[in-house]
Amino acid sequence: MSRMRQRSVVSLHDVAPASLGASSTLLTLCERHGVRASLLVIPGPWRGGDPSSDSDFRRWLDGAVERGHEVSLHGWSHDGTGQANWRNRFVARGCGEFSALGRADAVGRIEQGLAVMERLGHRVRGFTPPGWLASTGTIEAVRAVGLEYLTTQRSVKVLTAGVDIRVPAVCQRPHSTLEPIAALAVRRYAVSRVSSGQSIRVALHPADLNSPAMFESATSLVQLAAFAGSTTYAELADGFIAVEAVA
Ligand SMILES: [Zn+2]
């Protein structure tokens, strides 16, 4: 949005006990550059881990929140099983848990996730569906359970303010066979946005640690985000509501 001053949000995707090592490394990278991140937590069982029963994970998450990072919701199990549509198979590579859910099913999964986060002592204000794929029922569900924002790859929908903040999220494509070229293109795009005064969202994934080149590229995206003035999704939503209120 042109009237929004330049800002950035760095989000850590797939934060869970199974990815604790990677999430911790990426969060340290953010902190080294003064970036507070939005941690997208998978609250259900995923890859053999379970946040409810993992004390190491809970301690780490508590510490992150104390240092100013945000806890946000990223699906329930991050599992696309049973979602046999093409988007899940080809766009989200099997991560389209919410890509085809009806409202009732989506409400059920989101409420399950919110209950876990509440037991862990964290208030969650927003939702990012795995693969950024949200069915119409999911969008209705996020609103119905009272969450304040929903992110897509192209924008942050602040439901409480009725606004769509159009800032794209950039991420590396870790499974692409064109990995180095894709990383370079992503970096160029991010540089062009930030240098022209536009806002940017940077999405980091555990696979950003797969190679030194990927990590280097992730590092430069975090540096760009820091330059653009980093905030969290929750604070972005708050700020936008405030701007709207005086406009
Ligand atoms: Zn994910």
Side-chain angles (χ1 to χ4, degrees):
M1 313 259 327
S2 55
R3 63 207 168 101
M4 187 174 95
R5 77 177 158 83
Q6 184 175 38
R7 260 174 268 186
S8 68
V9 176
V10 176
S11 58
L12 258 61
H13 287 234
D14 306 344
V15 173
S19 58
L20 180 55
S23 298
S24 171
T25 300
L26 291 170
L27 194 63
T28 301
L29 169 66
C30 290
E31 292 181 344
R32 201 174 295 145
H33 296 282
V35 163
R36 287 180 301 114
S38 291
L39 309 180
L40 310 188
V41 176
I42 303 171
W46 182 66
R47 297 189 179 172
D50 186 352
S52 301
S53 57
D54 193 308
S55 52
D56 286 345
F57 178 75
R58 294 180 64 161
R59 250 193 311 276
W60 175 81
L61 198 61
D62 291 348
V65 170
E66 275 165 27
R67 297 193 302 280
H69 304 286
E70 178 198 5
V71 169
S72 194
L73 201 63
H74 189 46
W76 162 248
S77 61
H78 207 287
D79 177 3
T81 317
Q83 312 268 334
N85 66 34
W86 68 270
R87 288 199 305 170
N88 183 45
R89 275 182 283 139
F90 297 109
V91 182
R93 302 183 205 94
C95 304
E97 182 186 9
F98 284 81
S99 64
L101 288 184
R103 176 182 158 139
D105 288 339
V107 165
R109 282 178 185 244
I110 292 170
E111 283 186 336
Q112 238 179 314
L114 290 175
V116 167
M117 297 320 296
E118 200 181 313
R119 278 201 298 279
L120 299 189
H122 298 294
R123 180 175 166 239
V124 168
R125 295 175 53 187
F127 185 74
T128 297
W132 281 299
L133 296 176
S135 61
T136 307
T138 297
I139 297 169
E140 289 169 6
V142 172
R143 211 183 288 273
V145 301
L147 286 172
E148 294 167 55
Y149 69 82
L150 167 74
T151 79
T152 71
Q153 186 151 21
R154 292 176 186 202
S155 72
V156 182
K157 295 175 192 301
V158 185
L159 305 170
T160 41
V163 293
D164 198 20
I165 306 174
R166 295 209 183 100
V167 178
V170 296
C171 66
Q172 306 196 68
R173 310 271 297 178
H175 306 300
S176 168
T177 49
L178 301 172
E179 188 181 292
I181 298 168
L184 192 62
V186 164
R187 203 188 312 194
R188 279 201 187 129
Y189 174 69
V191 167
S192 78
R193 275 194 73 92
V194 171
S195 61
S196 64
Q198 293 176 289
S199 297
I200 191 92
R201 291 156 59 211
V202 171
L204 299 177
H205 294 82
D208 287 333
L209 303 174
N210 280 358
S211 71
M214 301 271 302
F215 184 68
E216 190 194 322
S217 186
T219 302
S220 68
L221 290 175
V222 170
Q223 285 169 332
L224 274 172
F227 178 81
S230 115
T231 185
T232 61
Y233 278 139
E235 286 178 4
L236 184 73
D238 282 343
F240 205 85
I241 292 164
V243 168
E244 286 295 290
V246 296

